[in-house]
Amino acid sequence: MANPAYVAVDWGTSSFRLWLIGADGSVLAERRSGEGMTTAAKTGFSQVLAGHLAAVEAPDDLPVIVCGMAGARQGWVEAGYIDVPASLSSILSGAVSVPGENRDVRILPGLAQRDAAIPDVMRGEETQLLGALGPASRGAQAVCMPGTHSKWVHVEDGRVTGFATFMTGELFDAITKHTILMHAVAGAEDQPADAAAFEAAVAAAFKRPALASNLIFTARSGQLLHGISAAAAQAKLSGILIGLEIAGALQDAGKGTAITLVASGRLQALYEQAFRTLSLSFTAIDADAAVRGGLSAAAQAIWPN
């Protein structure tokens, strides 16, 4: 095997991703599974990690850097939060050691916004943020990290000034599975996607976010009165929720604030389509590359040799 330097792990609520990183920064091996915090809390974090390390033949003394929900209070070892405003580089100094392991295992902290009017937390995304921007970023940026709970982070000259969580993905799941609109989208997965319906919904929600619940109901009324397809109803709901998210995230942003999208796969395509619909310029960064970049920065800070 090529010379491995450390192991990087992104341990979320429902997913586990591990990369064996070489001394030259290359990815020597990779593992992915559904053994997120929820599963690992039952089977044992140490056992889950050991199984994946054995699968990639990681040497016994190779250190491991971890980000994500493994550091939550309900996770492996609580890694705490760094309060914002805070510099991106502060994440590098907040790692905690996991006791009782034969190798050096460190877990990175999350970020907390303790303002009583707008409390918020993130865990895992801060490492993506670090990898996407680097600790020495300059200028004002709004960073969008879409997901079940999308994060929008405002950064100025390498300092996180604030952030907001939007339950876009979870709301879409709840609305399409547990409300009357479940009937409107039934069978949508068997039909071609309706890009026009998505784009019209993004624009409508961005322009008039106060009408959110009314716009959502049009997925049903549009089907009853105008016969829109299940795919169009689903695209409309997705577009409304993403349009609302973008409107809320940018309502206090300065004119000309640069937008960075950190995403991959289907979500990246949807958000890129939404930004183009709204004529918002953006830069896209692959989410996997970003989290590996953040974990790499932490590993180099903790184990410089």
Side-chain angles (χ1 to χ4, degrees):
M1 177 183 289
N3 185 22
Y6 63 92
V7 173
V9 176
D10 180 11
W11 210 327
T13 302
S14 59
S15 65
F16 176 96
R17 295 182 293 174
L18 176 150
W19 298 276
L20 180 65
I21 306 296
D24 61 354
S26 62
V27 176
L28 303 178
E30 178 177 346
R31 299 277 294 176
R32 294 171 184 261
S33 81
E35 296 162 296
M37 179 192 74
T38 306
T39 300
K42 298 175 183 174
T43 58
F45 287 91
S46 184
Q47 290 84 347
V48 170
L49 178 61
H52 288 286
L53 291 172
V56 298
E57 300 180 354
D60 292 342
D61 60 348
L62 202 65
V64 179
I65 185 74
V66 181
C67 71
M69 294 303 289
R73 184 170 300 172
Q74 301 80 16
W76 193 358
V77 173
E78 186 173 8
Y81 294 103
I82 293 173
D83 293 351
V84 299
S87 66
L88 286 172
S89 59
S90 65
I91 298 166
L92 302 174
S93 60
V96 301
S97 295
V98 176
E101 293 295 302
N102 293 328
R103 67 177 77 232
D104 191 354
V105 181
R106 311 281 184 104
I107 303 179
L108 293 173
L111 292 180
Q113 180 170 275
R114 298 188 187 275
D115 186 323
I118 47 172
D120 216 323
V121 293
M122 71 167 72
R123 194 176 284 287
E125 293 90 351
E126 75 294 324
T127 307
Q128 280 191 353
L129 185 68
L130 178 64
L133 301 185
S137 70
R138 289 293 174 262
Q141 302 193 48
V143 182
C144 171
M145 293 179 279
T148 302
H149 297 161
S150 296
K151 305 288 185 185
W152 279 78
V153 188
H154 294 279
V155 181
E156 188 161 355
D157 292 336
R159 191 171 179 80
V160 178
T161 58
F163 62 93
T165 301
F166 296 83
M167 294 179 61
T168 304
E170 188 166 356
L171 280 173
F172 178 80
D173 189 67
I175 290 171
T176 56
K177 292 180 179 175
H178 303 291
T179 73
I180 193 170
L181 298 179
M182 64 186 287
H183 304 295
V185 302
E189 62 277 7
D190 299 323
Q191 302 172 0
D194 193 325
F198 175 81
E199 292 171 0
V202 168
F206 186 80
K207 183 178 180 181
R208 300 193 295 174
L211 294 180
S213 62
N214 169 253
L215 291 171
I216 288 171
F217 188 74
T218 62
R220 172 172 169 78
S221 56
Q223 197 166 65
L224 290 173
L225 301 179
H226 300 293
I228 68 170
S229 68
Q234 184 183 64
K236 180 187 280 282
L237 290 172
S238 175
I240 290 168
L241 293 173
I242 291 175
L244 287 173
E245 176 188 316
I246 298 172
L250 296 180
Q251 66 175 354
D252 295 325
K255 188 175 182 180
T257 297
I259 297 174
T260 299
L261 172 65
V262 182
S264 57
R266 181 174 174 274
L267 280 180
Q268 179 179 352
L270 276 178
Y271 277 73
E272 288 184 349
Q273 188 179 359
F275 290 145
R276 285 193 290 267
T277 298
L278 299 173
S279 300
L280 295 171
S281 60
F282 64 94
T283 301
I285 297 176
D286 179 74
D288 274 9
V291 75
R292 284 200 306 272
L295 288 165
S296 173
Q300 291 172 17
I302 297 170
W303 305 297
N305 299 317

